[in-house]
Structures are given as structure tokens and as C-alpha cells.
Amino acid sequence: MTDAAAVRPMTPEEYDDWIVDEIAAYAGDLAQASGSTLEEAHLRAEQQTKDLLPDGPASDGVHLLRVLDGAGEPVGVLWLGRHPQRRGAGWVYEVRSEEARRGEGLGRAAMLAAEQVAREAGWSALGLNVFGHNPRARGLYDSLGYEVAATTMAKPLD
């Protein structure tokens, strides 16, 4: 099992590549979770991302980081910002490892790095959302001590 050694700020070039992939990945998750079309979800993802990152990587209170493996190679992304509702707390907007590197402990190491960044930012807590169709992530967050704050549920009706 390989752990991430560190996080570092995303470069402008990395941001330009990442934002396109981020919107597409988020749109896919939104469509799957909400039942909306991919086109509708993509528009929603674009708008939400624009609202959260009005000045791109220079947006106030935002930490856009690359997750590095033990050899210092970029293997993931970590996006932190202020909590959308809880004053003085932070929020994990995205944590993602490269598909080929999943299962190596990189997500755990990234989340531990997120906690350190949050402490350094003076945040009292760190929150996140996990889609129900991602039980692997849910297991990781449970193992790290995150607790359910709210649950949204749905039942398909045939």
C-alpha cells in the first residue's frame, strides 16, 4: 500500500486540464444521483463550479491541491473550501485519485492531508458530501471518523 507523501498547490496548467475533467465527472455523478439527463447535469455542474470558483484557482478561501505519491508524482486532486453553510468550517468539494492508483491508500492519505490543511486554515470542522452510488468512498469516510449529518434517499418506482 502506497501513501501520498504530500499535497501541493495545483499549477495554472493543471487547473486548466482539471476543471474540464472535474465538470464532466461531477456532471456524471449528478446525473446518476438525480436521474437528470447528462446534458442537464453538465449545465448544473458548470454553474455550480463557476459559482464556487469565480476567480478560478485564485478564488478566496479555496485550496486546489495535487495529491502526490511517495515518489512525489501527482496522482490525485484535492479541492477544499469554506463550508457552504457552517461558519468557520471547511468543505471537501473533491478528492479523487487516478483510477489506476485506487486501492493504494492514496484517498486516505489525501483526506488526512485535507484535515491538516483545514487546521492550518483555522477551520473547526471538515464536511463533505458522498454520493450513495459510491460505497467505497463512504467506507473511507466512515473509517476516518466522519459522521452522517444528513441523508437524502430515493426509491425507484417501476
Side-chain angles (χ1 to χ4, degrees), residues 20-55:
V20 172
D21 293 340
E22 173 61 20
I23 290 170
Y26 184 45
D29 284 339
L30 283 174
Q32 186 173 354
S34 69
S36 63
T37 67
L38 190 54
E39 183 178 305
E40 292 166 337
H42 196 273
L43 291 172
R44 185 171 160 206
E46 280 182 327
Q47 186 59 54
Q48 287 181 354
T49 304
K50 183 179 178 181
D51 292 346
L52 292 167
L53 297 170
D55 297 316

Side-chain angles (χ1 to χ4, degrees), residues 27-109:
D29 284 339
L30 283 174
Q32 186 173 354
S34 69
S36 63
T37 67
L38 190 54
E39 183 178 305
E40 292 166 337
H42 196 273
L43 291 172
R44 185 171 160 206
E46 280 182 327
Q47 186 59 54
Q48 287 181 354
T49 304
K50 183 179 178 181
D51 292 346
L52 292 167
L53 297 170
D55 297 316
S59 298
D60 188 42
V62 169
H63 303 270
L64 291 169
L65 307 166
R66 290 303 312 262
V67 178
L68 309 175
D69 68 10
E73 293 298 316
V75 293
V77 174
L78 181 60
W79 171 13
L80 307 173
R82 292 186 186 100
H83 194 291
Q85 291 132 358
R86 187 172 171 188
R87 187 179 185 97
W91 189 258
V92 179
Y93 286 94
E94 179 67 86
V95 59
R96 189 178 302 265
S97 304
E98 292 178 5
E99 187 74 37
R101 302 295 302 269
R102 293 185 183 165
E104 295 182 24
L106 295 165
R108 173 174 299 282

